[in-house]
Amino acid sequence: MSIYNNLNKKLLPKHIAIIMDGNGRWAKELGKNRYYGHVQGIKSIKKTVDAIIKLKIPYLTLFAFSKENWNRPKKEVNLLMNLFMSTIIENQDHFYNKKIKITTIGELNDLPKQCQKALIEMMNKTKNNAVLNLTLALSYSSRTEITQAVQKMLNEEKPKNSAEISEALLSSYLQTKGIPDPELLIRTSGERRVSNFLLWQIAFSELYFSEKKWPDFNEEELYMAIFEFQKRERRFGKTTDQLKNEIN
Ligand code: IPE
Ligand code: IPE
Ligand code: MG
Protein backbone atom coordinates (compact mmCIF):
# COMPACT_ATOMS: atom_id res chain seq x y z
CA MET A 1 0.00 0.00 0.00
CA SER A 2 1.24 3.48 -0.81
CA ILE A 3 2.26 5.81 2.02
CA TYR A 4 0.19 8.37 0.14
CA ASN A 5 -2.88 6.97 1.92
CA ASN A 6 -1.31 7.68 5.32
CA LEU A 7 -0.62 11.34 4.65
CA ASN A 8 -2.70 13.98 6.35
CA LYS A 9 -3.76 16.00 3.31
CA LYS A 10 -4.59 18.97 5.56
CA LEU A 11 -1.05 19.19 6.95
CA LEU A 12 0.97 19.25 3.77
CA PRO A 13 3.89 21.63 3.35
CA LYS A 14 3.26 24.43 0.85
CA HIS A 15 6.86 24.45 -0.30
CA ILE A 16 9.33 21.59 -0.57
CA ALA A 17 12.96 22.17 -1.54
CA ILE A 18 15.15 19.30 -2.70
CA ILE A 19 18.91 18.89 -2.99
CA MET A 20 19.02 16.24 -5.71
CA ASP A 21 22.25 14.47 -4.87
CA GLY A 22 23.93 11.15 -5.70
CA ASN A 23 23.66 10.84 -9.49
CA GLY A 24 27.37 10.14 -9.93
CA ARG A 25 27.65 7.53 -7.17
CA TRP A 26 24.46 5.84 -8.37
CA ALA A 27 25.94 5.41 -11.86
CA LYS A 28 29.31 4.31 -10.51
CA GLU A 29 27.65 1.51 -8.54
CA LEU A 30 26.27 0.23 -11.84
CA GLY A 31 29.65 0.51 -13.54
CA LYS A 32 28.40 3.37 -15.73
CA ASN A 33 29.71 6.90 -16.18
CA ARG A 34 28.42 9.86 -14.16
CA TYR A 35 26.50 11.24 -17.11
CA TYR A 36 24.26 8.16 -17.13
CA GLY A 37 23.33 9.04 -13.55
CA HIS A 38 22.41 12.60 -14.51
CA VAL A 39 20.20 11.34 -17.35
CA GLN A 40 18.39 8.96 -14.99
CA GLY A 41 18.07 11.84 -12.52
CA ILE A 42 15.82 13.67 -14.98
CA LYS A 43 13.31 10.80 -14.67
CA SER A 44 13.22 11.28 -10.90
CA ILE A 45 12.45 14.97 -11.44
CA LYS A 46 9.44 14.04 -13.57
CA LYS A 47 8.14 11.54 -11.01
CA THR A 48 8.62 14.05 -8.20
CA VAL A 49 6.87 16.86 -10.06
CA ASP A 50 3.90 14.58 -10.82
CA ALA A 51 3.62 13.55 -7.17
CA ILE A 52 3.86 17.16 -5.98
CA ILE A 53 1.03 18.11 -8.35
CA LYS A 54 -1.05 15.16 -7.18
CA LEU A 55 -0.66 16.42 -3.60
CA LYS A 56 -1.56 19.97 -4.71
CA ILE A 57 1.63 21.36 -3.16
CA PRO A 58 2.08 24.78 -4.80
CA TYR A 59 5.87 25.32 -4.52
CA LEU A 60 8.81 23.09 -5.38
CA THR A 61 12.43 24.23 -5.55
CA LEU A 62 15.05 21.93 -7.02
CA PHE A 63 18.80 22.38 -6.61
CA ALA A 64 20.03 21.38 -10.07
CA PHE A 65 23.49 22.99 -10.30
CA SER A 66 25.46 24.93 -7.73
CA LYS A 67 27.91 27.75 -8.30
CA GLU A 68 30.53 25.41 -6.85
CA ASN A 69 29.65 22.76 -9.46
CA TRP A 70 31.46 24.87 -12.12
CA ASN A 71 34.64 23.48 -10.57
CA ARG A 72 33.84 19.99 -11.84
CA PRO A 73 35.64 18.60 -14.92
CA LYS A 74 34.74 20.63 -17.99
CA LYS A 75 33.40 17.55 -19.75
CA GLU A 76 30.86 16.83 -17.00
CA VAL A 77 29.82 20.49 -16.83
CA ASN A 78 29.28 20.63 -20.60
CA LEU A 79 27.28 17.42 -20.60
CA LEU A 80 25.11 18.72 -17.76
CA MET A 81 24.46 22.01 -19.55
CA ASN A 82 23.43 20.16 -22.70
CA LEU A 83 21.22 17.87 -20.66
CA PHE A 84 19.51 20.85 -18.97
CA MET A 85 18.97 22.50 -22.32
CA SER A 86 17.55 19.47 -24.10
CA THR A 87 15.31 18.63 -21.13
CA ILE A 88 13.94 22.16 -21.05
CA ILE A 89 13.29 22.24 -24.77
CA GLU A 90 11.77 18.74 -24.96
CA ASN A 91 9.49 19.33 -21.97
CA GLN A 92 8.25 22.82 -22.74
CA ASP A 93 4.78 21.67 -23.81
CA HIS A 94 4.62 19.09 -21.05
CA PHE A 95 5.25 21.73 -18.34
CA TYR A 96 2.92 24.17 -20.02
CA ASN A 97 0.08 21.66 -20.26
CA LYS A 98 0.52 20.65 -16.63
CA LYS A 99 0.11 24.34 -15.69
CA ILE A 100 3.57 24.54 -14.16
CA LYS A 101 5.17 27.96 -13.81
CA ILE A 102 8.94 27.76 -14.14
CA THR A 103 11.25 30.28 -12.50
CA THR A 104 14.95 30.19 -11.67
CA ILE A 105 17.26 31.33 -8.91
CA GLY A 106 21.02 31.56 -9.28
CA GLU A 107 23.28 33.23 -11.80
CA LEU A 108 21.51 32.61 -15.07
CA ASN A 109 24.18 34.68 -16.85
CA ASP A 110 26.80 32.04 -16.03
CA LEU A 111 24.99 29.47 -18.19
CA PRO A 112 25.75 28.98 -21.90
CA LYS A 113 23.75 31.39 -24.06
CA GLN A 114 21.69 28.59 -25.65
CA CYS A 115 20.74 27.30 -22.25
CA GLN A 116 19.73 30.78 -21.07
CA LYS A 117 17.61 31.18 -24.19
CA ALA A 118 15.78 27.91 -23.61
CA LEU A 119 15.13 28.83 -19.99
CA ILE A 120 13.86 32.31 -20.81
CA GLU A 121 11.51 30.87 -23.43
CA MET A 122 10.23 28.35 -20.92
CA MET A 123 9.72 31.01 -18.25
CA ASN A 124 7.85 33.26 -20.66
CA LYS A 125 5.67 30.46 -21.93
CA THR A 126 4.69 29.27 -18.44
CA LYS A 127 4.49 32.60 -16.62
CA ASN A 128 0.70 32.60 -16.27
CA ASN A 129 0.49 29.04 -14.99
CA ALA A 130 -0.53 28.57 -11.39
CA VAL A 131 -0.81 24.89 -10.45
CA LEU A 132 2.83 24.48 -9.40
CA ASN A 133 5.57 27.07 -8.99
CA LEU A 134 8.68 25.15 -9.91
CA THR A 135 11.91 27.00 -9.13
CA LEU A 136 15.13 25.66 -10.60
CA ALA A 137 18.30 26.62 -8.74
CA LEU A 138 20.99 26.89 -11.42
CA SER A 139 24.48 28.18 -10.77
CA TYR A 140 23.08 28.94 -7.36
CA SER A 141 24.96 29.91 -4.22
CA SER A 142 23.06 31.07 -1.18
CA ARG A 143 25.95 33.19 0.08
CA THR A 144 26.15 34.93 -3.29
CA GLU A 145 22.39 35.47 -3.23
CA ILE A 146 22.54 37.06 0.23
CA THR A 147 25.59 39.17 -0.61
CA GLN A 148 23.96 40.48 -3.78
CA ALA A 149 20.72 41.15 -1.91
CA VAL A 150 22.61 43.30 0.62
CA GLN A 151 24.40 45.20 -2.17
CA LYS A 152 21.17 45.85 -4.08
CA MET A 153 19.30 46.83 -0.93
CA LEU A 154 21.93 49.38 0.10
CA ASN A 155 22.06 50.82 -3.43
CA GLU A 156 18.32 51.17 -3.74
CA GLU A 157 17.24 52.02 -0.21
CA LYS A 158 20.22 54.20 0.73
CA PRO A 159 19.32 53.93 4.43
CA LYS A 160 20.42 56.85 6.60
CA ASN A 161 20.12 54.67 9.66
CA SER A 162 21.10 51.00 9.68
CA ALA A 163 18.05 50.29 11.89
CA GLU A 164 15.92 50.79 8.77
CA ILE A 165 17.20 47.43 7.56
CA SER A 166 14.84 44.69 8.70
CA GLU A 167 14.65 40.96 8.04
CA ALA A 168 11.60 41.57 5.87
CA LEU A 169 13.42 44.22 3.83
CA LEU A 170 16.45 42.01 3.24
CA SER A 171 14.15 39.07 2.35
CA SER A 172 12.50 41.20 -0.29
CA TYR A 173 15.86 41.55 -2.08
CA LEU A 174 16.53 37.81 -2.22
CA GLN A 175 15.91 35.98 -5.48
CA THR A 176 13.22 33.98 -3.71
CA LYS A 177 11.12 37.11 -3.15
CA GLY A 178 7.44 36.19 -3.17
CA ILE A 179 8.10 32.48 -2.57
CA PRO A 180 7.26 31.26 0.94
CA ASP A 181 10.12 29.65 2.88
CA PRO A 182 10.20 25.86 2.47
CA GLU A 183 8.74 23.95 5.40
CA LEU A 184 10.58 20.84 4.29
CA LEU A 185 14.08 20.42 2.82
CA ILE A 186 14.96 17.00 1.42
CA ARG A 187 18.50 15.90 0.53
CA THR A 188 19.07 12.56 -1.13
CA SER A 189 22.11 10.24 -1.20
CA GLY A 190 22.67 10.05 2.56
CA GLU A 191 24.74 13.25 2.77
CA ARG A 192 23.84 15.38 5.75
CA ARG A 193 24.75 18.90 4.69
CA VAL A 194 23.07 21.83 2.98
CA SER A 195 25.90 22.76 0.57
CA ASN A 196 25.16 26.49 0.33
CA PHE A 197 21.47 26.06 -0.54
CA LEU A 198 18.78 28.50 0.67
CA LEU A 199 20.63 29.29 3.91
CA TRP A 200 18.36 32.18 4.85
CA GLN A 201 15.14 30.54 3.74
CA ILE A 202 15.60 27.23 5.63
CA ALA A 203 15.98 28.87 9.06
CA PHE A 204 12.98 26.88 10.36
CA SER A 205 12.65 24.16 7.74
CA GLU A 206 12.46 20.53 8.73
CA LEU A 207 15.37 18.61 7.22
CA TYR A 208 14.88 15.14 5.80
CA PHE A 209 17.81 13.08 4.62
CA SER A 210 16.95 10.23 2.28
CA GLU A 211 19.41 7.38 1.87
CA LYS A 212 18.26 6.90 -1.73
CA LYS A 213 20.48 8.38 -4.41
CA TRP A 214 18.60 10.82 -6.62
CA PRO A 215 17.99 8.45 -9.59
CA ASP A 216 16.27 6.04 -7.16
CA PHE A 217 14.10 8.78 -5.65
CA ASN A 218 10.43 8.38 -6.52
CA GLU A 219 6.86 9.14 -5.41
CA GLU A 220 7.01 6.78 -2.44
CA GLU A 221 10.22 8.37 -1.15
CA LEU A 222 8.61 11.78 -1.39
CA TYR A 223 5.54 10.58 0.48
CA MET A 224 7.82 9.06 3.12
CA ALA A 225 9.61 12.40 3.59
CA ILE A 226 6.27 14.17 4.00
CA PHE A 227 5.04 11.44 6.36
CA GLU A 228 8.10 11.99 8.57
CA PHE A 229 7.61 15.75 8.32
CA GLN A 230 4.06 15.38 9.60
CA LYS A 231 5.31 13.53 12.68
CA ARG A 232 7.63 16.39 13.67
CA GLU A 233 6.61 19.05 16.14
CA ARG A 234 7.53 22.45 14.72
CA ARG A 235 7.99 24.59 17.81
CA PHE A 236 9.60 27.78 16.44
CA GLY A 237 11.28 28.31 19.80
CA LYS A 238 8.16 27.72 21.90
CA THR A 239 7.39 24.85 24.27
CA THR A 240 5.20 21.83 23.56
CA ASP A 241 2.67 22.99 26.19
CA GLN A 242 2.37 26.38 24.56
CA LEU A 243 1.65 24.77 21.21
CA LYS A 244 -1.05 22.57 22.77
CA ASN A 245 -2.72 25.61 24.34
CA GLU A 246 -2.68 27.41 21.00
CA ILE A 247 -4.61 24.56 19.38
CA ASN A 248 -7.22 24.41 22.21
C1 IPE B 1 23.80 15.65 -8.08
O1 IPE B 1 24.52 14.46 -8.18
C2 IPE B 1 23.71 16.40 -9.39
C3 IPE B 1 24.54 17.60 -9.46
C4 IPE B 1 25.24 18.12 -8.49
C5 IPE B 1 24.58 18.27 -10.74
P1 IPE B 1 26.11 14.47 -8.13
O2 IPE B 1 26.62 14.73 -9.48
O3 IPE B 1 26.58 15.39 -7.06
O4 IPE B 1 26.41 12.97 -7.72
P2 IPE B 1 27.42 12.48 -6.58
O5 IPE B 1 27.06 13.22 -5.33
O6 IPE B 1 28.79 12.79 -7.06
O7 IPE B 1 27.15 11.03 -6.47
C1 IPE C 1 24.78 20.01 -4.21
O1 IPE C 1 25.36 18.77 -4.49
C2 IPE C 1 24.38 20.69 -5.46
C3 IPE C 1 23.31 20.04 -6.20
C4 IPE C 1 22.60 19.02 -5.82
C5 IPE C 1 23.00 20.63 -7.46
P1 IPE C 1 26.93 18.58 -4.55
O2 IPE C 1 27.15 17.14 -4.81
O3 IPE C 1 27.52 19.53 -5.50
O4 IPE C 1 27.37 18.98 -3.07
P2 IPE C 1 28.62 18.56 -2.21
O5 IPE C 1 29.82 18.71 -3.09
O6 IPE C 1 28.39 17.14 -1.81
O7 IPE C 1 28.60 19.47 -1.03
MG1 MG D 1 26.93 15.21 -5.07
Side-chain angles (χ1 to χ4, degrees), residues 30-43:
L30 294 173
K32 310 252 187 197
N33 60 24
R34 296 177 58 83
Y35 184 65
Y36 182 72
H38 296 313
V39 172
Q40 293 304 310
I42 301 288
K43 294 186 186 162

Side-chain angles (χ1 to χ4, degrees), residues 19-25 34 38 69 72 187-189 191 193 195:
I19 302 174
M20 309 182 288
D21 196 19
N23 292 352
R25 279 164 287 157
R34 296 177 58 83
H38 296 313
N69 288 149
R72 290 191 179 192
R187 181 170 188 149
T188 59
S189 87
E191 303 293 4
R193 54 179 173 261
S195 301

Side-chain angles (χ1 to χ4, degrees), residues 16-216:
I16 296 180
I18 307 181
I19 302 174
M20 309 182 288
D21 196 19
N23 292 352
R25 279 164 287 157
W26 181 87
K28 199 174 176 197
E29 275 171 14
L30 294 173
K32 310 252 187 197
N33 60 24
R34 296 177 58 83
Y35 184 65
Y36 182 72
H38 296 313
V39 172
Q40 293 304 310
I42 301 288
K43 294 186 186 162
S44 299
I45 295 181
K46 287 187 184 160
K47 287 182 203 162
T48 304
V49 166
D50 285 347
I52 292 274
I53 292 177
K54 179 170 160 186
L55 287 165
K56 300 193 175 66
I57 292 174
Y59 293 92
L60 174 66
T61 299
L62 299 175
F63 201 3
F65 193 84
S66 74
K67 215 166 156 67
E68 294 76 21
N69 288 149
W70 292 112
N71 297 320
R72 290 191 179 192
K74 207 168 165 19
K75 192 173 165 212
E76 179 170 348
V77 170
N78 288 343
L79 286 168
L80 273 169
M81 291 301 141
N82 284 333
L83 182 63
F84 291 148
M85 200 172 67
S86 57
T87 305
I88 293 159
I89 293 170
E90 281 162 24
N91 288 284
Q92 217 185 61
D93 289 341
H94 177 75
F95 284 141
Y96 179 75
N97 293 334
K98 291 213 163 187
K99 306 270 184 295
I100 300 170
K101 177 180 175 178
I102 308 270
T103 51
T104 60
I105 53 174
E107 304 302 294
L108 218 56
N109 287 338
D110 292 347
L111 302 175
K113 284 277 169 297
Q114 297 283 73
C115 203
Q116 290 183 35
K117 193 168 160 263
L119 274 166
I120 290 165
E121 258 178 51
M122 172 81 112
M123 288 194 273
N124 281 336
K125 185 169 170 143
T126 62
K127 66 173 187 253
N128 296 321
N129 286 348
V131 167
L132 170 64
N133 294 278
L134 174 57
T135 304
L136 303 174
L138 288 161
S139 191
Y140 177 80
S141 147
S142 186
R143 286 184 172 179
T144 303
E145 180 193 28
I146 294 169
T147 307
Q148 288 180 353
V150 171
Q151 290 167 345
K152 197 157 178 247
M153 180 179 69
L154 295 179
N155 281 337
E156 288 186 16
E157 306 285 332
K158 303 204 177 0
K160 289 194 183 62
N161 183 339
S162 61
E164 286 170 37
I165 296 167
S166 63
E167 288 184 13
L169 185 65
L170 179 49
S171 265
S172 74
Y173 279 92
L174 294 173
Q175 291 188 313
T176 50
K177 177 180 186 244
I179 301 175
D181 289 343
E183 296 96 327
L184 173 61
L185 170 71
I186 299 171
R187 181 170 188 149
T188 59
S189 87
E191 303 293 4
R192 283 156 172 77
R193 54 179 173 261
V194 289
S195 301
N196 204 5
F197 188 46
L198 301 177
L199 302 180
W200 174 283
Q201 297 87 341
I202 61 170
F204 285 98
S205 304
E206 294 297 327
L207 309 184
Y208 180 84
F209 298 105
S210 165
E211 295 305 317
K212 290 246 192 279
K213 297 184 180 71
W214 180 249
D216 283 333

